[in-house]
Structures are given as C-alpha cells and as structure tokens.
Amino acid sequence: RFEDAMPSDADEAWNQRWRHVYPVDVEVKEARTKGLSIPDLMSETERAKVSKSLVPSDKKDRLNEKSNGAVQSFKQASENPAVKTADLVALLTPEISTFLQIEQVEPGTKAAENALYWLSRTYYLNGLMLSKQRLPQTSGNYERQAWPEEELSYDTALAEFEKFLKDYPDSELAEDAAYHVAAINYHLTYRGHHRHQLEKAQQAYETFIQNYPKSDLAVRAGMNLLGLALEIARIDGKGFDQVVESGNQFISDHTDMGEYEEGRAKLIVAEALFDGPKDYEKCRKISKELMERFSNSNEIGIIGTIYRLYAYSNYYLMNYQEAIYGFSFVIDAFSSPEYNFNYRINEKLAAAHYWRGMSFQFEMMYEQAAKDFKFVINHFPDSVYTKSSRRENEFMESTLHFINERRNKYE
C-alpha cells in the first residue's frame, strides 16, 4: 500500500506527487504466491459455509419464500425517502446464505439469477453504509482512503456483479448491474485516489454508456465521467480545456437532463475554468447562475461548492464584498452536520475563514479580519493556512493598535 509509505510529515505537494505512482494489477492467486496478504472476498467466505447437501430439494420453495420476502421488504422500505442505508442493509444481510444456497441448488434458473443480483446488491449497500459511517470521521484528513472492511465490501460486490453479468448477460437486471460496476469503481477511488483507480472508474462508466446509450442512467454516468476527467486534470496539471469542451458538449447534448445533473455538469465546467485557464469572470457568472437556480434546493453538497467557487472567483476579481458574502455562506454550509461527508472539510473551512479574513482586510474591516485569522489559529492549528493566519493576525493587531493610537490622539 503506497498510502502506508507516506511520511508522517508529508505536505500537500508530496501528497499530490505520490498519486502518480502506478500500481500493478496482480491476480489474487499470483499475489498470494508472492507472499502478499490478500483477504478473501466476503462472498468466498460465505460460499465455503454453504453446501448443496444442506438444502434438500423439498426445501427450495422455502428458500425462495425467504429470498422474495427480504427483497419485497427492501423494495417497500426503499420507497421511504428518509430510510437509512443501514436499515436496508439490515433487511438483506440475514439472507446472504439464502441467496447463496439458491444460487447453488438452482443454477441457471430465474431464482438463481435474482439471488445473485441481490447478493451483489447486499455487499454494495454494506460498502455504502460503511462509507457513510467513515466519511464524517475522515473528512478532515488529507488522506482519501477507505476502511479495510468498506473496501472489502466493495471488492466483493464488484466481483459478484461481474459474475452476474457474465452468467446472465441478457437479464433485465443487467443494465442496473453494469451501472453498479461503474459506481463501485468510482467509490473505490477512495483507496487512495490515485490516477490508476480514477482511470478504472472512467473505463467502467465509458463501457456502461457504450453498452446502454439509451439508459436513464447514461446521463448520470456521463456527469460522473466529467468529474473524473477534472480529477485527472488536477493530478496532471493539464487537460482543463478538454474538460471544459467536453462539459459544454455534454450540456448541449442533454438538454432534457434533470436539474441536479445539469447543475453539477455546469459546476464541473466552472471548476475546470477556475483551475486551468483561470477565467474567473466566467466562473463567477456560472456560479451566480447556479446560486439562483439552487437557492431553495436541499442539495447542500452542490450548494456549498457553488458558493465556494463564487467566493474565490470574486476574490481574484477583487470584488471583496461579494467574496465576503460567498465565504460566509461557505462557512455556514461547511459547518453544518449535513456537510460532514465532504473530503477535507476542515481544510476547506480553514481556507474559507482565511480568505474571508483577507477580503475583510482589503475592505479595511480590520477587526472582522482579525477574528477570522484568530479562528484559523485556534481551531485549525495543523492547517496549511495557520502560519499565514498568524502572520496576518500580527499585522492586523499592529494596524488596529496604530489606528487606536491615532484615534485617541485626535480625541
């Protein structure tokens, strides 16, 4: 694991460089012969416990009843928008052995097909549940690394969905299984978020779109492809113009896509313009349009990113009052418990306070500026912005001292 090789005092620049390391994909059997420790997939362990002899033919109906009952309960629960992933996992996990037994005693049947699909789905949801539990705990870190059990759940789900597509390529569930393969590869970028895993996710989404161009999920797949292209451009330090071009073409080709998909695509274009050609005016224009569109939306993730881009664009355009407004919203949004899933949230909060402080400083609002700099110093002592905040705070204190002396003199 290259993540374990990162030195304890590594800075962000080093963290960016190590992601260029190209891991080699090795078959599990070959890896084990070389002495590498590779955990068994969760389904492999479960399959070893299940034997055809355990299920007499007269018990097949009972197995199917249990399987169908769990799936029906899952579908009913899924209709509730407030249902939690953990609740869905709890409905399916007890039936893992049931799914496996059906697969073994009725191979090639419709029942086995459904059992393999729901087995795959169960492991995927377990990985998703663990992701949601992990992100609030690791969102303040530079590392983008999954928990071992989370990673193993996704790896297991990936293997099972791939087995499903191989065994039942003409299934009515094949489209959904193929999208899950792409989505899992996307989730697995959290292994370390290096370029190799991003490319695997790209390939999976491209394969899905190629095989299911008319799918309702093709638009979401295309949007995720745009996001992956932006991540790779950031690692390479080039390719932003291509992301902008691809994004504008994607928006033009899908005029009937949903509001979230269109907004996310436009935001990716704006981020590419900001990171690459530094076209802050276009960024400001796009983000302002998106602010108005999503003003009453519950999509706090996309709203926070929109305001963040709006704030930075205005700062570099020297529109400091608008920058203050944007950074203030970002601070409120990022401080909300609803936003605790975001990657490196602490560093983004520190940055928002620091740059709002700089904006206050340019507007000669020195007391407000000092408060922001002190907030970074006191709440984010390990941030890359702490040293600069300490320097700016000293300057603010000397400035305020000078102003107060002059005021007292004239009074």
Coordinates of all heavy atoms in Angstrom, one line a residue, residues 294-337:
F294 N -30.3 27.0 -7.5 CA -30.4 26.1 -6.4 C -30.6 26.8 -5.0 O -30.3 26.2 -4.0 CB -29.0 25.3 -6.3 CG -28.9 24.3 -7.4 CD1 -28.3 24.6 -8.6 CD2 -29.4 23.0 -7.2 CE1 -28.2 23.6 -9.6 CE2 -29.2 22.0 -8.1 CZ -28.6 22.3 -9.3
S295 N -31.2 28.0 -5.1 CA -31.3 28.8 -3.9 C -32.3 28.1 -2.9 O -32.1 28.2 -1.6 CB -31.9 30.2 -4.2 OG -33.1 30.1 -4.9
N296 N -33.2 27.3 -3.3 CA -34.2 26.6 -2.5 C -34.0 25.1 -2.5 O -34.9 24.4 -2.1 CB -35.6 27.0 -2.9 CG -35.9 28.5 -2.7 OD1 -35.6 29.1 -1.7 ND2 -36.6 29.0 -3.7
S297 N -32.8 24.7 -2.9 CA -32.6 23.3 -3.0 C -32.0 22.7 -1.7 O -31.5 23.4 -0.9 CB -31.6 23.0 -4.1 OG -31.2 21.6 -4.2
N298 N -32.3 21.4 -1.5 CA -31.7 20.7 -0.4 C -30.4 20.0 -0.7 O -29.8 19.3 0.2 CB -32.7 19.6 0.1 CG -34.0 20.2 0.6 OD1 -34.0 21.2 1.3 ND2 -35.1 19.5 0.4
E299 N -29.9 20.2 -1.9 CA -28.6 19.6 -2.3 C -27.5 20.4 -1.7 O -26.8 21.2 -2.4 CB -28.5 19.6 -3.8 CG -29.5 18.7 -4.5 CD -29.2 17.2 -4.3 OE1 -28.1 16.9 -3.8 OE2 -30.0 16.4 -4.7
I300 N -27.2 20.2 -0.4 CA -26.3 21.1 0.3 C -24.8 20.9 -0.2 O -24.0 21.8 -0.2 CB -26.3 20.9 1.9 CG1 -25.5 22.0 2.6 CG2 -25.8 19.5 2.2 CD1 -25.8 22.0 4.0
G301 N -24.5 19.7 -0.7 CA -23.2 19.4 -1.2 C -22.9 20.3 -2.4 O -21.9 21.0 -2.5
I302 N -23.8 20.3 -3.4 CA -23.6 21.1 -4.6 C -23.7 22.6 -4.3 O -22.9 23.4 -4.8 CB -24.6 20.8 -5.7 CG1 -24.1 21.4 -7.1 CG2 -26.0 21.1 -5.4 CD1 -24.9 20.9 -8.2
I303 N -24.6 23.0 -3.3 CA -24.7 24.4 -3.0 C -23.4 25.0 -2.3 O -22.9 26.1 -2.7 CB -25.9 24.6 -2.0 CG1 -27.2 24.4 -2.7 CG2 -25.9 26.1 -1.5 CD1 -28.4 24.3 -1.8
G304 N -22.8 24.2 -1.4 CA -21.6 24.6 -0.8 C -20.5 24.8 -1.8 O -19.7 25.8 -1.7
T305 N -20.4 23.9 -2.8 CA -19.3 24.0 -3.8 C -19.6 25.2 -4.7 O -18.6 25.9 -5.1 CB -19.3 22.7 -4.6 OG1 -19.1 21.6 -3.8 CG2 -18.1 22.8 -5.6
I306 N -20.8 25.5 -5.0 CA -21.2 26.7 -5.9 C -20.7 28.0 -5.2 O -20.1 28.8 -5.8 CB -22.7 26.7 -6.1 CG1 -23.1 25.6 -7.1 CG2 -23.1 28.1 -6.7 CD1 -24.6 25.4 -7.2
Y307 N -21.1 28.1 -3.9 CA -20.7 29.3 -3.2 C -19.2 29.4 -3.0 O -18.7 30.5 -3.0 CB -21.4 29.4 -1.8 CG -22.8 30.0 -1.9 CD1 -23.9 29.3 -2.2 CD2 -23.0 31.4 -1.7 CE1 -25.2 29.8 -2.3 CE2 -24.2 32.0 -1.8 CZ -25.3 31.2 -2.1 OH -26.6 31.8 -2.2
R308 N -18.6 28.3 -2.8 CA -17.1 28.3 -2.7 C -16.5 28.9 -3.9 O -15.6 29.7 -3.9 CB -16.6 26.9 -2.4 CG -15.2 26.8 -2.1 CD -14.9 25.4 -1.4 NE -13.5 25.1 -1.3 CZ -12.8 24.4 -2.2 NH1 -13.4 23.8 -3.2 NH2 -11.5 24.1 -2.0
L309 N -16.9 28.4 -5.1 CA -16.4 28.8 -6.4 C -16.7 30.3 -6.6 O -15.9 31.1 -7.1 CB -16.9 28.0 -7.5 CG -16.3 28.2 -8.9 CD1 -14.9 27.8 -8.9 CD2 -17.1 27.4 -9.9
Y310 N -17.9 30.7 -6.2 CA -18.3 32.1 -6.3 C -17.5 33.0 -5.5 O -17.0 34.1 -5.9 CB -19.8 32.2 -5.9 CG -20.4 33.6 -6.0 CD1 -20.7 34.2 -7.2 CD2 -20.5 34.4 -4.8 CE1 -21.2 35.5 -7.3 CE2 -21.0 35.7 -4.9 CZ -21.4 36.2 -6.1 OH -21.9 37.5 -6.2
A311 N -17.2 32.6 -4.3 CA -16.4 33.4 -3.4 C -14.9 33.6 -3.9 O -14.4 34.7 -3.9 CB -16.3 32.7 -2.0
Y312 N -14.3 32.5 -4.3 CA -12.9 32.6 -4.8 C -12.8 33.4 -6.1 O -11.9 34.1 -6.3 CB -12.3 31.2 -5.0 CG -11.9 30.5 -3.7 CD1 -12.6 29.5 -3.1 CD2 -10.7 31.0 -3.1 CE1 -12.2 28.9 -2.0 CE2 -10.3 30.4 -1.9 CZ -11.0 29.3 -1.3 OH -10.6 28.8 -0.2
S313 N -13.8 33.2 -7.0 CA -13.8 33.9 -8.2 C -13.9 35.4 -7.9 O -13.1 36.2 -8.5 CB -15.0 33.5 -9.1 OG -14.9 32.2 -9.5
N314 N -14.8 35.8 -7.0 CA -14.9 37.2 -6.7 C -13.6 37.8 -6.0 O -13.3 38.9 -6.2 CB -16.1 37.5 -5.8 CG -17.4 37.6 -6.7 OD1 -17.6 38.6 -7.4 ND2 -18.3 36.6 -6.6
Y315 N -13.0 36.9 -5.2 CA -11.8 37.4 -4.5 C -10.7 37.7 -5.5 O -10.1 38.8 -5.5 CB -11.3 36.3 -3.6 CG -10.0 36.7 -2.9 CD1 -10.0 37.5 -1.7 CD2 -8.8 36.4 -3.4 CE1 -8.9 37.9 -1.1 CE2 -7.6 36.8 -2.8 CZ -7.6 37.5 -1.6 OH -6.5 37.9 -1.0
Y316 N -10.5 36.8 -6.5 CA -9.5 37.1 -7.5 C -9.9 38.2 -8.5 O -9.0 38.8 -9.1 CB -9.2 35.8 -8.3 CG -8.4 34.8 -7.4 CD1 -8.9 33.6 -7.0 CD2 -7.1 35.1 -7.0 CE1 -8.2 32.7 -6.2 CE2 -6.4 34.2 -6.2 CZ -6.9 33.0 -5.8 OH -6.2 32.2 -5.0
L317 N -11.2 38.5 -8.6 CA -11.6 39.6 -9.4 C -11.6 40.9 -8.6 O -12.0 42.0 -9.1 CB -13.0 39.3 -10.0 CG -13.1 38.3 -11.0 CD1 -14.5 37.9 -11.3 CD2 -12.4 38.7 -12.3
M318 N -11.2 40.8 -7.3 CA -11.2 41.9 -6.4 C -12.5 42.5 -6.0 O -12.7 43.7 -5.7 CB -10.2 43.0 -6.9 CG -8.8 42.6 -7.0 SD -7.6 43.9 -7.5 CE -8.0 44.0 -9.2
N319 N -13.6 41.7 -6.1 CA -14.9 42.0 -5.7 C -15.0 41.5 -4.2 O -15.7 40.5 -4.0 CB -16.0 41.4 -6.6 CG -15.9 41.8 -8.0 OD1 -15.5 42.9 -8.3 ND2 -16.3 40.9 -8.9
Y320 N -14.4 42.2 -3.3 CA -14.2 41.7 -2.0 C -15.5 41.6 -1.2 O -15.7 40.7 -0.3 CB -13.2 42.5 -1.2 CG -11.8 42.5 -1.9 CD1 -11.2 43.6 -2.4 CD2 -11.2 41.2 -2.0 CE1 -10.0 43.6 -3.0 CE2 -10.0 41.2 -2.7 CZ -9.4 42.3 -3.2 OH -8.1 42.3 -3.8
Q321 N -16.5 42.5 -1.4 CA -17.7 42.4 -0.7 C -18.5 41.1 -1.1 O -19.1 40.4 -0.2 CB -18.6 43.7 -1.0 CG -18.2 44.9 -0.3 CD -18.4 44.9 1.2 OE1 -19.1 44.0 1.7 NE2 -17.8 45.8 2.0
E322 N -18.5 40.9 -2.4 CA -19.2 39.6 -2.8 C -18.4 38.4 -2.3 O -19.0 37.4 -2.0 CB -19.2 39.6 -4.4 CG -20.3 40.6 -4.9 CD -21.7 40.2 -4.4 OE1 -22.1 39.1 -4.6 OE2 -22.3 41.1 -3.8
A323 N -17.1 38.5 -2.3 CA -16.3 37.4 -1.8 C -16.6 37.1 -0.3 O -16.8 36.0 0.1 CB -14.8 37.7 -1.9
I324 N -16.8 38.2 0.5 CA -17.1 38.0 1.9 C -18.5 37.3 2.0 O -18.6 36.4 2.8 CB -17.2 39.4 2.6 CG1 -15.8 39.9 2.7 CG2 -17.8 39.3 4.0 CD1 -15.7 41.4 3.1
Y325 N -19.4 37.7 1.2 CA -20.7 37.1 1.2 C -20.6 35.6 0.9 O -21.2 34.7 1.5 CB -21.6 37.8 0.2 CG -22.9 37.0 -0.2 CD1 -23.9 37.0 0.8 CD2 -23.1 36.5 -1.4 CE1 -25.1 36.3 0.5 CE2 -24.3 35.8 -1.7 CZ -25.3 35.7 -0.8 OH -26.4 35.0 -1.1
G326 N -19.8 35.3 -0.2 CA -19.7 33.9 -0.6 C -19.0 33.0 0.5 O -19.4 31.9 0.8
F327 N -17.9 33.6 1.0 CA -17.2 32.8 2.0 C -18.0 32.6 3.3 O -17.9 31.6 4.0 CB -15.8 33.5 2.4 CG -14.8 33.3 1.4 CD1 -14.1 34.5 0.8 CD2 -14.4 32.1 0.9 CE1 -13.1 34.3 -0.2 CE2 -13.4 31.9 0.0 CZ -12.8 33.0 -0.6
S328 N -18.8 33.6 3.6 CA -19.7 33.5 4.8 C -20.7 32.3 4.6 O -20.9 31.6 5.6 CB -20.4 34.8 5.1 OG -19.5 35.8 5.4
F329 N -21.2 32.2 3.4 CA -22.2 31.1 3.2 C -21.4 29.8 3.2 O -21.9 28.8 3.8 CB -22.8 31.3 1.8 CG -23.9 30.3 1.5 CD1 -25.2 30.6 1.8 CD2 -23.6 29.0 1.0 CE1 -26.2 29.7 1.5 CE2 -24.6 28.1 0.8 CZ -25.9 28.4 1.1
V330 N -20.2 29.7 2.6 CA -19.4 28.5 2.7 C -19.2 28.1 4.1 O -19.3 26.9 4.4 CB -18.1 28.7 1.9 CG1 -17.2 27.5 2.1 CG2 -18.4 28.9 0.4
I331 N -18.8 29.0 5.0 CA -18.5 28.7 6.4 C -19.8 28.1 7.0 O -19.7 27.1 7.7 CB -18.0 29.9 7.1 CG1 -16.6 30.2 6.6 CG2 -18.0 29.7 8.6 CD1 -16.1 31.6 7.0
D332 N -20.9 28.7 6.8 CA -22.2 28.2 7.4 C -22.5 26.8 6.8 O -22.9 25.9 7.6 CB -23.3 29.2 7.0 CG -23.2 30.5 7.8 OD1 -22.5 30.5 8.8 OD2 -23.9 31.5 7.4
A333 N -22.3 26.6 5.5 CA -22.7 25.4 4.9 C -21.7 24.3 5.4 O -22.2 23.2 5.8 CB -22.7 25.5 3.4
F334 N -20.4 24.5 5.4 CA -19.4 23.5 5.7 C -19.5 23.2 7.2 O -19.0 22.1 7.6 CB -18.0 24.0 5.3 CG -17.8 23.9 3.8 CD1 -18.8 23.8 2.9 CD2 -16.5 24.0 3.4 CE1 -18.5 23.7 1.6 CE2 -16.2 23.9 2.0 CZ -17.2 23.8 1.1
S335 N -20.0 24.1 8.0 CA -20.1 23.8 9.5 C -21.3 23.0 9.8 O -21.4 22.5 10.9 CB -20.2 25.2 10.2 OG -19.0 26.0 10.0
S336 N -22.2 22.8 8.9 CA -23.4 22.1 9.1 C -23.2 20.6 9.2 O -22.3 20.1 8.4 CB -24.5 22.3 8.0 OG -25.5 21.4 8.0
P337 N -23.8 19.9 10.1 CA -23.6 18.4 10.2 C -24.0 17.7 8.9 O -23.5 16.6 8.6 CB -24.5 18.0 11.3 CG -24.7 19.2 12.2 CD -24.7 20.4 11.2

